[in-house]
């Protein structure tokens, strides 16, 4: 049995090391920034996870998973994303509400409940934010995507996910009518202030480079 904090650290390490296919490790400061805690706090927890043979870690060096640690991280991630999907699809929570509630539900230990939930939902492969859901064996489908900030002028794209799933960012996307499946066309890019002019459902919006850099899309 792992504590809630230990599970959160494993999930954080997975997110930090899976966002880039060429990256398989993370640093202490990177973990601290992601979890919004002090590096000393991270060091203390990493020592505990190492003692349980869940991570490989030496002070001032990069952190990597052991096979058992990665397996447990995927289990927590699976529960989180299944609960997000349940809340969004079955209880009509908005996509900016599901994360906080799923943070609580992901620590339920009943494997049978999680498997029943997966079956009830029809074995989904993506959550409401466009992130892949691990299956019972820890396998995840590869989602074709790129950042809108890397897009080409006049090209049409489909929103397939978000890099930033914070409430503030998702609320902003709601205001400009962006959700999964939304068609977005890049009309122009202004070098002076690094802004994009985009077209959504015959409406024009100006968004910052930061916004475009947190939207995952694929070509329409």
């Amino acid at each position: 049995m792992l504590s809630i904090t230990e599970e959160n650290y494993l999930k954080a390490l997975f997110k930090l090391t899976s966002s880039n296919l060429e990256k398989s490790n993370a640093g202490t400061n990177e973990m601290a920034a992601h979890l919004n805690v002090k590096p000393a706090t991270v060091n203390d927890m990493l020592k505990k996870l190492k003692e349980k043979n869940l991570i490989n870690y030496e002070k001032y060096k990069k952190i990597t998973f052991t096979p058992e640690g990665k397996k447990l991280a995927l289990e927590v991630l699976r529960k989180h994303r299944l609960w997000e999907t349940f809340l969004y699809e079955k209880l009509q929570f908005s996509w900016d509400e599901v994360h906080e509630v799923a943070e609580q539900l992901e620590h339920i230990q009943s494997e049978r409940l999680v498997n029943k939930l997966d079956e009830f939902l029809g074995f989904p492969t993506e959550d409401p934010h466009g992130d892949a859901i691990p299956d019972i064996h820890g396998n995840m489908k590869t989602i074709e995507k790129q950042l809108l900030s890397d897009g080409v002028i006049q090209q049409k794209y489909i929103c397939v996910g978000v890099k930033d799933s914070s409430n503030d960012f998702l609320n902003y996307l709601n205001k400009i009518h962006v959700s999964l499946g939304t068609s977005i066309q890049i009309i122009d890019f202004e070098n002076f202030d690094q802004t994009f002019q985009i077209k959504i459902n015959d409406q024009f919006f100006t968004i910052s480079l930061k916004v475009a850099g947190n939207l995952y899309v694929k070509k329409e």
Side-chain angles (χ1 to χ4, degrees):
M1 292 283 290
L2 296 178
S3 70
I4 289 176
T5 303
E6 288 170 334
E7 289 189 342
N8 286 339
Y9 269 73
L10 291 178
K11 186 178 66 172
L13 179 58
F14 184 87
K15 287 184 175 180
L16 290 171
T17 58
S18 65
S19 58
N20 185 337
L21 294 177
E22 298 178 356
K23 179 178 168 65
S24 61
N25 57 57
T28 303
N29 290 337
E30 193 178 5
M31 287 279 287
H34 182 82
L35 292 164
N36 196 28
V37 297
K38 295 179 179 179
T41 303
V42 173
N43 279 324
D44 290 341
M45 178 54 67
L46 293 178
K47 290 176 184 177
K48 294 179 182 179
L49 294 175
K50 181 183 178 181
E51 288 172 1
K52 294 187 176 183
N53 196 34
L54 299 177
I55 62 168
N56 302 303
Y57 167 68
E58 297 294 337
K59 196 170 183 179
Y60 306 120
K61 294 185 179 180
K62 296 294 185 179
I63 313 149
T64 59
F65 277 118
T66 64
E68 179 63 17
K70 187 172 183 179
K71 175 177 176 291
L72 292 176
L74 283 165
E75 289 176 0
V76 178
L77 199 69
R78 177 176 179 239
K79 288 186 286 184
H80 181 95
R81 292 177 177 174
L82 283 173
W83 282 119
E84 283 193 336
T85 304
F86 173 76
L87 293 165
Y88 182 76
E89 291 186 357
K90 304 301 180 182
L91 299 185
Q92 284 73 57
F93 279 68
S94 62
W95 73 339
D96 57 295
E97 295 176 312
V98 296
H99 179 76
E100 185 175 344
V101 181
E103 283 284 298
Q104 302 169 51
L105 295 169
E106 71 185 26
H107 301 292
I108 291 174
Q109 296 300 318
S110 173
E111 183 179 350
R112 183 167 182 265
L113 173 61
V114 176
N115 291 338
K116 285 288 186 181
L117 176 64
D118 195 8
E119 181 182 5
F120 175 70
L121 293 170
F123 305 103
T125 57
E126 296 178 38
D127 73 8
H129 304 124
D131 293 317
I133 301 174
D135 66 15
I136 192 172
H137 304 294
N139 300 313
M140 302 167 68
K141 85 168 194 176
T142 300
I143 299 174
E144 177 194 348
K145 61 185 179 180
Q146 68 176 86
L147 292 171
L148 185 65
S149 55
D150 296 327
V152 178
I153 292 174
Q154 296 304 319
Q155 176 67 51
K156 290 184 178 179
Y157 297 93
I158 298 291
C159 177
V160 297
V162 292
K163 185 177 180 181
D164 179 354
S165 58
S166 67
N167 287 353
D168 287 343
F169 184 57
L170 296 177
N171 282 329
Y172 174 81
L173 295 183
N174 287 337
K175 290 178 182 178
I176 62 172
H177 312 298
V178 172
S179 59
L180 295 185
T182 297
S183 177
I184 304 171
Q185 183 179 14
I186 299 177
I187 303 301
D188 200 6
F189 176 73
E190 180 53 62
N191 280 307
F192 176 72
D193 60 0
Q194 301 285 287
T195 56
F196 289 82
Q197 185 179 29
I198 60 173
K199 183 179 179 182
I200 302 170
N201 298 327
D202 296 323
Q203 288 185 280
F204 293 90
F205 299 91
T206 298
I207 62 172
S208 67
L209 180 62
K210 182 177 180 180
V211 170
N214 278 290
L215 268 178
Y216 285 121
V217 296
K218 66 178 181 180
K219 289 183 180 180
E220 187 173 310

